[in-house]
Amino acid sequence: MADKDVDGVIRALNGSTLLRAARVICTAPEGGRALPAEDLAARWASLAGRAAEAVPEPAAALDSALSSGSGPVIVAGSLYLVGAARSILVADPDLVPDPPLLHPEVAP
């Protein structure tokens, strides 16, 4: 969200040794408070000193991240963005977990 500490989040993520070589894709959830993906990518480049891609639609950004096959995908930022990503992933039948197994002594 544009009204949050965007620079602080960028610095924290960029400071992680685990994310130093990560591909960064900036997107924005729906809503008037969201910072546009292009603006977020520009701030990332300015503060982190490395490029970030801007993909305005969360579904397209997630698809791009998952199709690259370059490792784990981390969704960071607002809970609105995490919720948008979750709704996309859960709607994918390949990503819905198997139902829990019942103990044999428990009747269905």
Side-chain angles (χ1 to χ4, degrees):
M1 298 293 121
D3 60 342
K4 301 299 180 190
D5 184 12
V6 175
D7 294 353
V9 172
I10 291 171
R11 286 187 190 102
L13 291 171
N14 191 54
S16 169
T17 56
L18 297 174
L19 300 177
R20 290 249 165 87
R23 175 181 174 211
V24 177
I25 302 171
C26 298
T27 192
E30 291 184 18
R33 292 178 40 224
L35 184 67
E38 296 81 10
D39 295 349
L40 181 56
R43 283 180 63 183
W44 180 275
S46 174
L47 292 170
R50 59 188 176 114
E53 301 169 51
V55 180
E57 295 294 322
L62 190 56
D63 184 56
S64 178
L66 292 171
S67 66
S68 72
S70 61
V73 173
I74 298 171
V75 177
S78 75
L79 290 176
Y80 294 103
L81 180 59
V82 172
R86 183 184 184 285
S87 70
I88 293 164
L89 293 172
V90 171
D92 185 336
D94 291 333
L95 297 174
V96 174
D98 293 332
L101 297 174
L102 294 176
H103 190 278
E105 296 176 8
V106 176

